[in-house]
Amino acid sequence: MWNVFKAELTKLKRPSLSISTIAAVTFVTGLVTSLLFLLVDSPEGNGERGVRIGRDVLALPTGVSLSFSNAAGLLGIVALCIFAAQTAQEYTYGTLRNLLVRQPSRMKILLGKLGSMKLFAIAMVTLSAVLAVSLSYLFAGVKDISTGAWSTPDARSAVLRTFINVLIATIGYGIFGMILGLLFRSPISAISIGVIWNLIIEGLLSAFVTNIDKYFPGQLLSIVATGGNDRISYQYALFTSYGFLLAGLAIVAFLFKKRDVAN
Amino acid sequence: MSSPLALDVADLSKKYGDRMALSHANFEVPMGSICGFVGPNGSGKTTTIRMLLGLISPTTGSGHVLGESITQPEKYLPNVGAMIEGPAFYPALTGAQNLTVLAKLGGFDTNTIQGLLDLVDLGDRGNSKYKTYSLGMKQRLGIAAALLPKPKLLILDEPTNGLDPAGIQEVRALLRKLADNGTTVFVSSHLLSEIEMISDHLVMLRLGKVIFSGKTSELLAKQQPVIVAKPENRGDLEKLVKIAEAGGHSAKIIDESVHVTGTSDFSAKLNKAAFEAGITLESLTPVRASLEDTFFEMTGE
C-alpha cells in the first residue's frame, strides 16, 4: 500500500494539477472571505442563503475562522472533482491495467490512492486556512472590524477545531468523488454527477423541503465543517454523512475487487 | 524430463454473456522460449493475456504462470513484464515520470529508468510529456515499462504496432537478446512474418479456440512445399497442370502460374517434362510455405 501511496503522489504532484488546485482553492477561499467581510453592511446579507453575519459576530474569537468554515462546501467540490478525476482517469487512460499488473491487490490500490489523495486534501485545506485567516485580517481592517479577540487562546482553538472539521468535510466530499469515479469510470460523468448532486439536487431540495438535509451527505458534511447547528448536531452530521460514505465506499470497493478489467 | 513451463493453460474458457471469448484453451510455453501468439482480431488473444495477468477471471479452467496459479497473480506478477493492448500512460506526465509511477508501484529500483529509456531509444525524450510522443515512441515506452521488473516472463500484445521498419528490427533484436538471456517472451502480433522470424514456439487461435500449439518449425514442416511454374505462353497453363499431375503431383492455376505441390527435387523433372512438351518456362521457383500461408490455411481467413 505504501508503494501505491508513493506512486500516486508522483501523479498528484504534477504541475498542471498542483497549479490548478492552488488557483481553485485561492479563488474559493478569497471569494467566500471577501463576501463575508466586504458585504458585512449589505441588507442582502453576507452569509449563506442571505443570512446576515454582523460585525459583533465577526469580532468574536470564532470570527477569524468563520470564512474558512463557510468555504468548506466549495473546497469540498474541488476535492470531489480531484478525487473523482484521479480515480476515473485510470479507466479512461487504460492505465488501470498497468497498475494492477504492478500491484495485483486491488484493495491496496484503492487504499493507497485514498491515502495519497487525503494528503493532497490536507495540503488544500492548509492552504485555504492560511489564506482565510490572512484575508480575514486584511478585510477586517478595511471594514473596521475588531480583531482583538482573534489572537486569544479561544481563537486559536477555534481555528484548530475548524481546521479539523473542514478537513473531515473535505475528505468526505473527496470520498464521494472517489465513489462516483469508481462507479462511472469516466471523469466527466463522475464530476458532473457529483457537482449536480451536491450543488443542485441537495442544495435545491434542502432549500425547499424542511429537514431533508438531515439525509443528504453533502449537506451534512457542510454542517460538519461548521461544527453543527441548531437543528443538526455535529455528531449526527459526522456519523450519518460518514456512514453513507463508508457504506458507498464498501459497495464500490467490492465491485472494484470483483469486476473484470476489460478496457 | 520435460523443460519447466513459463505458461501452462488447461481448459481455460471465458464467456461474456452468451459469447464465448475463449473456449477450452490448452497450451504450454517452455521457459526461455519466444512464443508467438497469433490469431485474427476477436479470436481471444487479449482475453487470454488478461486472464494470465489476473485482470479478468476465467469462467472455467486453470492456468499457471511461472509455476503459480493464475488465481494468485500476486505470486508471479513481480517477475512478469507486460504490455497489454498497446501502451497506456498518463498524458500529462513525462515518459520518465510515467515509468517512475510504475517503478514505485512495483517497488522496483527507479535508477534503472534512464537505462531502460536509452534501451528503447527514448533516452533524449524521457523528460518530454507522454502526450507529445508519436505512436512509435509510445510503443517503445510501453516496452520499457514492461522491462521494469527485469522480468522472467515478458508478455507483449502487438509490440510493433506503429513502429517503423528500423524500430521493428530493433524490437526483434531486443526480444531475441532477452530470450538469449533466459527471459521467456510471449508475444502477440498481426505481423506474421515478424513472428515467424523470432518465435520458436507458436500458439494459434481462431474463434476463441486453440488450433495449434507447439514448435513453429513443426507447424511449418507440416505444410507441403510448392513449386511455382510460370510458362512464357499463358496458353500452356492447362498443359503444365496435366504434366505435373502425370508426375503424381497435385497442381492448380493461380493467377498466371501453376502451383505444384512438391519438394524442390521435382523442379528439375518438371522443367524437363515441360521442355519436352514444347513449353518454355519463364520462371520455376520452389516456395516454402510461410507462416502467413499456414495461418490463412488454418484459420480459413
Side-chain angles (χ1 to χ4, degrees), chain A residues 156-184:
Chain A
R156 281 195 288 275
S157 136
V159 169
L160 181 64
R161 210 170 39 246
T162 306
F163 179 84
I164 292 168
N165 290 339
V166 172
L167 183 61
I168 291 170
T170 305
I171 289 173
Y173 281 108
I175 292 173
F176 186 48
M178 193 175 188
I179 292 169
L180 294 173
L182 286 167
L183 211 53
F184 294 102

Side-chain angles (χ1 to χ4, degrees), chain B residues 152-171:
Chain B
K152 287 182 185 165
L153 169 66
L154 188 61
I155 299 178
L156 300 173
D157 196 3
E158 304 286 350
T160 51
N161 262 3
L163 295 184
D164 56 22
I168 292 173
Q169 204 170 23
E170 283 166 21
V171 170

Side-chain angles (χ1 to χ4, degrees), chain A residues 2-16 86 89-90 93-106 109 113 258-263, chain B residues 14 16 50 53-57 73-74 77-82 84-93 97 100-102 104-108 129 145-146 148-149:
Chain A
W2 178 239
N3 286 345
V4 182
F5 179 82
K6 286 190 291 182
E8 286 299 315
L9 277 188
T10 308
K11 287 188 262 173
L12 288 167
K13 281 191 299 191
R14 65 183 188 270
S16 53
Q86 287 297 115
Q89 71 178 11
E90 305 292 2
Y93 291 152
T95 43
L96 183 60
R97 56 183 188 249
N98 292 348
L99 302 187
L100 292 176
V101 167
R102 293 285 57 99
Q103 175 48 266
S105 166
R106 298 188 183 191
I109 293 269
K113 259 185 177 296
K258 295 290 172 193
R259 211 155 41 183
D260 283 346
V261 177
N263 67 332
Chain B
K14 180 69 185 177
Y16 291 110
R50 284 179 186 280
L53 294 171
L55 297 174
I56 59 178
S57 27
E74 66 280 0
L77 284 180
N79 293 311
V80 176
I84 322 133
E85 259 192 318
F89 293 100
Y90 305 101
L93 297 186
Q97 284 170 335
T100 303
V101 168
L102 294 174
K104 283 182 178 174
L105 196 60
F108 307 129
K129 286 190 176 175
L148 267 171

